C-alpha cells in the first residue's frame, strides 16, 4: 500500500517547510524576500516559535517523536493563528493566516496518523527500543 509512504512524504515536506520558517527567523537562512531579518530567543512569541519550528521541523523530517512533535507544532500554529492573525480579520485569506492554518491542520493530522513509513520511530519500534507494544504507524490507519 502506498498510504504509509504518502504520509511519510507529507511528514517530510511539512517538516522541511516548518524548519525553513524557523531557520529564516533565527539565522535569516533562507533569506526571506519580505520581513527579513532575525529574531532573538527572548522576543515573544517569535523567539520561542522559531525554536519550535527548528526543533519540531527536524524531528518531523526524521520521524522521531512524531506524534508529540506534531502536536506541539500544531498547537504553536493554532496560537499563531488566533493570537497574531485572527484579531485583524476573521478569514485566513483576509488576515494573512493561511500558512498558520494549513500548518496547524497538517500537523494535527500527523499527530493522529503517526509518522508513516521510513521513520526513526518505526525503526526504533521494530528493534524493540521505543514505546510500549502498540500498533505500528505503518498499520494504522491504512490496511495492509
Amino acid at each position: 500500500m502506498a498510504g504509509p509512504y504518502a504520509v511519510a512524504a507529507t511528514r517530510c515536506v511539512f517538516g522541511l517547510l516548518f524548519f525553513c520558517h524557523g531557520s529564516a527567523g533565527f539565522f535569516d537562512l533562507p533569506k526571506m524576500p519580505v520581513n527579513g531579518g532575525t529574531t532573538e530567543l527572548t522576543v515573544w512569541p517569535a523567539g520561542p516559535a522559531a525554536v519550535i519550528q527548528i526543533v519540531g521541523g527536524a524531528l518531523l523530517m526524521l520521524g522521531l517523536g512524531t506524534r508529540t512533535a506534531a502536536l506541539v507544532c500544531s498547537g504553536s500554529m493554532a496560537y499563531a493563528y488566533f493570537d497574531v492573525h485572527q484579531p485583524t480579520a476573521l478569514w485566513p485569506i483576509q488576515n494573512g493566516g493561511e500558512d498558520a492554518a494549513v500548518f496547524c491542520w497538517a500537523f494535527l493530522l500527523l499527530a493522529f496518523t503517526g509518522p508513516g513509513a521510513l521513520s526513526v520511530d518505526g525503526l526504533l519500534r521494530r528493534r524493540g527500543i521505543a514505546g510500549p507494544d502498540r500498533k505500528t504507524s505503518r498499520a494504522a490507519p491504512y490496511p495492509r
Side-chain angles (χ1 to χ4, degrees), residues 52-131:
I52 291 171
Q53 291 165 353
I54 291 171
V55 173
L59 289 173
L60 289 171
M61 283 189 287
L62 292 171
L64 179 60
T66 303
R67 292 178 190 266
T68 303
L71 190 61
V72 170
C73 292
S74 177
S76 75
M77 288 293 94
Y79 176 85
Y81 181 76
F82 287 110
D83 188 62
V84 177
H85 298 287
Q86 196 275 330
T88 62
L90 178 61
W91 297 105
I93 195 74
Q94 295 172 321
N95 63 31
E98 298 100 332
D99 289 348
V102 170
F103 274 127
C104 178
W105 285 103
F107 293 142
L108 189 61
L109 180 64
L110 287 172
F112 282 97
T113 62
L118 308 173
S119 67
V120 174
D121 286 341
L123 178 67
L124 294 176
R125 207 172 277 118
R126 280 191 298 279
R127 293 193 177 187
I129 298 172

Side-chain angles (χ1 to χ4, degrees), residues 19-32 36-40 50-51 54-55:
F19 179 87
C20 287
H21 270 274
S23 68
F26 261 149
F27 311 115
D28 202 22
L29 291 171
K31 294 268 185 206
M32 293 177 49
T38 60
T39 187
E40 301 278 330
V51 171
I54 291 171
V55 173

